[in-house]
C-alpha cells in the first residue's frame, strides 16, 4: 500500500485547486455564493477540528 505524501507542497496545490473550483463556480453561478460561503465555513471548522 503506497504511503500518503506528507509534503507541504501537496497541501498547497490541493488548496489552490479548491480555491480555483470555488471561484469558477462563483463566477458561473452567482446565486450559489451564499451556499458556497456556508460550505467553506463548514469545511474550515472540520479542518480545524481534524487538524488537517
Amino acid at each position: 500500500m503506497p504511503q500518503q505524501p506528507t509534503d507541504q507542497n501537496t497541501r498547497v496545490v490541493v488548496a489552490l485547486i479548491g480555491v480555483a473550483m470555488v471561484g469558477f463556480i462563483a463566477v458561473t453561478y452567482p446565486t450559489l455564493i451564499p451556499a458556497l460561503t456556508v460550505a467553506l465555513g463548514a469545511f474550515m471548522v472540520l479542518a480545524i477540528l481534524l487538524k488537517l
Side-chain angles (χ1 to χ4, degrees):
M1 179 180 272
Q3 292 182 345
Q4 292 287 339
T6 57
D7 190 18
Q8 184 65 25
N9 291 335
T10 303
R11 291 183 179 186
V12 171
V13 168
V14 170
L16 288 175
I17 291 171
V19 168
M21 272 184 21
V22 169
F24 177 74
I25 292 170
V27 169
T28 308
Y29 303 104
T31 56
L32 292 179
I33 290 175
L36 290 172
T37 304
V38 171
L40 181 62
F43 177 77
M44 291 307 295
V45 168
L46 284 173
I48 290 170
L49 288 176
L50 298 175
K51 297 177 183 173
L52 299 175

